[in-house]
Amino acid sequence: MSAHPAKAQRVGMEVSIAVSHAVQMARAEAIAAYPITPQTHIVEHLSTLVANGELEAEFINVESEHSALSACIGMSAAGARTYTATSAQGLALMHEILFIASGMRFPIVMTVANRALSAPLSIWNDHSDIMAARDIGWIQVFVENGQEAYDHTIMAFKIAEHPEVLLPTIVNLDGFILSHVVEALEFISQEDVDAFLPPYQPKYRLDPKKPVTMGAFAMPEIYTEVKYAHQVALTNSYHHILKVWDEWANLTGRRYRPVETYLTEDAKVLFLTMGSLTEVAEVAVEEMRAQGLPVGLVSLRLWRPFPFDALREAVKDAELLIVCDRALSAGGPGGPVHSEVRNCLYPLESKPATVNYIIGLGGRDVPPEAFHDILARAQKEVESGPSGEFFLYGVRG
Amino acid sequence: MIKYTKPLEQTTWRETEVGGVLTVPGTAREYRTGDWRSQHPVWTKSRCIRCGVCWTVCPEPAIVEEPGGYFDMDPNYCKGCGICARECVTGCISMVPEEE
């Protein structure tokens, strides 16, 4: 089927500003956010749009991220299309409310400009913020560039608000590496966005004419059942995510998959990456292929719900899978992504060996050369038997 | 009193509302807070002046007015906090331990 790309406008723009325009085009009705580097430009620009009357939304200035998400929950409960954005310490400060948003099934959309957690203080990129919020019960997507950040911000509302989904959704974009870069982006028209994303129709809302109780406590007799209903909704959201992504592909010509693959055909060795690192790895893999090395790349776009079948299918024929994490689970098995990938592959009879490299912590640059080096090291590890659970790549001493 | 279609312990995950929303009011009545009680108030009628202070101060509220204007506790909801006994004007209420 040939796609019929919508009329697109090509613009050069900072990715943070593009995300705020995506929120504007999605006609968000309620925003509460607290500025934190490197997410600041997103909320700053949104507040400008609201102040200028270019976006008809309630913008609540709050004193913390804990309050930001709490206010979002209230506004979502009232039936508004609700958005927020944060990063690192801000996401950590939201922590208890993150579970409440998903448990109460409010389709809030949040951008997380991924950044390292303190201490030591670092404003630069890695994935330790979101990996510490792995179990919050939200849909979680990672984007690789600015275009994807724009696309997935609009799509996130449609996915989150589907009556059979009703789950808050996070779009992860790498802080600075994506948030502060100026890219050439394609915007679709407001008419196309409106046709793609109809107004939010909440199942329940705070309405004096039809009162309900939200956030009531649950006795031990019913807590497990409510939790399981949430688990099933999150797992089943997978199919709705695919449908929305397909619809977007028909509209724009840009097709997204839960597990993306690049030059994986006949590949004996695969790298696995997430976020903006994927585009760096693509450069390295191209160079390796040019040298005749059977190397390919898979990237996890969808982190929750975890794409078990798609990942198994993507890596089943490889001999070695090198999982590149951008976070460290201290005192544990190393990188959280590797830990879950290995868990996913464990039941398979035939599966690749896995090696875990943790790279790019706290904004340390990862050039394409790093992947060449990692490949050589990983192959040695496999030949001699792994010398550790994981490797913190580039650590001195 | 709200009547559920099913007791909570027989409700399946498919029958829960999205986000645990309660669509009917008054469901807290189904939760018998009296189960927690380790002591309960007993009124000595001969000293009771039927002033209703106990009824007023009960936070639950789990004190009911009986025919004749005397008061007693509602065993389903009285938690045995003892506020009624402390505030009773004539001291006619005493707290008695629950029997095992």
Side-chain angles (χ1 to χ4, degrees), chain A residues 104-262:
Chain A
M104 291 176 74
R105 308 283 297 276
F106 292 129
I108 299 161
V109 170
M110 171 157 67
T111 304
V112 178
N114 298 120
R115 165 187 148 182
L117 282 175
S118 287
L121 177 62
S122 167
I123 58 166
W124 291 279
N125 169 247
D126 71 26
H127 292 169
S128 52
D129 55 1
I130 193 62
M131 289 304 158
R134 195 183 55 166
D135 300 332
I136 54 176
W138 291 44
I139 293 170
Q140 297 187 30
V141 177
F142 280 79
V143 300
E144 295 168 13
N145 56 45
Q147 184 67 61
E148 294 186 4
Y150 168 81
D151 291 357
H152 282 277
T153 303
I154 296 172
M155 287 191 284
F157 286 101
K158 180 147 177 157
I159 293 164
E161 293 170 4
H162 190 286
E164 284 173 41
V165 176
L166 290 176
L167 284 166
T169 299
I170 288 175
V171 178
N172 288 287
L173 65 92
D174 285 315
F176 289 115
I177 297 170
L178 292 184
S179 64
H180 284 56
V181 79
V182 175
E183 259 188 48
L185 300 151
E186 282 188 1
F187 278 18
I188 62 171
S189 70
Q190 184 66 59
E191 293 70 37
D192 283 327
V193 175
D194 289 342
F196 174 80
L197 181 65
Y200 170 41
Q201 303 286 347
K203 182 166 186 197
Y204 297 110
R205 67 201 296 176
L206 294 177
D207 178 1
K209 288 185 196 122
K210 201 182 165 196
V212 294
T213 303
M214 291 178 173
F217 90 135
M219 294 288 284
E221 289 86 345
I222 199 69
Y223 181 88
T224 307
E225 281 66 31
V226 178
K227 278 293 175 194
Y228 189 62
H230 177 184
Q231 148 68 21
V232 171
L234 187 49
T235 303
N236 289 351
S237 72
Y238 188 82
H239 307 289
H240 299 292
I241 293 167
L242 294 193
K243 268 187 213 161
V244 171
W245 289 359
D246 280 349
E247 212 180 307
W248 189 260
N250 291 334
L251 185 64
T252 66
R254 291 185 293 275
R255 186 170 294 280
Y256 297 111
R257 293 176 183 83
V259 178
E260 303 283 0
T261 56
Y262 185 67

Side-chain angles (χ1 to χ4, degrees), chain B residues 39-43 47 53-55 57-59 63 78 80-96:
Chain B
Q39 54 176 1
H40 65 271
V42 172
W43 280 256
R47 283 160 64 194
V53 163
C54 56
W55 182 90
V57 298
C58 178
I63 291 174
C78 173
C81 71
I83 290 174
C84 54
R86 180 176 169 120
E87 298 299 327
C88 178
V89 176
T90 63
C92 83
I93 304 175
S94 46
M95 298 303 292
V96 177

Side-chain angles (χ1 to χ4, degrees), chain B residues 14-89:
Chain B
R14 290 175 196 278
E15 293 162 334
T16 61
E17 284 296 333
V18 168
V21 161
L22 301 176
T23 56
V24 288
T27 51
R29 286 179 191 170
E30 293 287 313
Y31 180 31
R32 301 291 170 90
T33 46
D35 291 353
W36 304 355
R37 192 171 56 236
S38 63
Q39 54 176 1
H40 65 271
V42 172
W43 280 256
T44 305
K45 274 193 180 174
S46 60
R47 283 160 64 194
C48 176
I49 57 172
R50 296 177 281 181
C51 65
V53 163
C54 56
W55 182 90
T56 310
V57 298
C58 178
E60 193 51 37
I63 291 174
V64 287
E65 193 177 344
E66 303 274 275
Y70 293 98
F71 294 89
D72 204 350
M73 65 143 185
D74 180 340
N76 287 329
Y77 303 108
C78 173
K79 294 173 181 169
C81 71
I83 290 174
C84 54
R86 180 176 169 120
E87 298 299 327
C88 178
V89 176

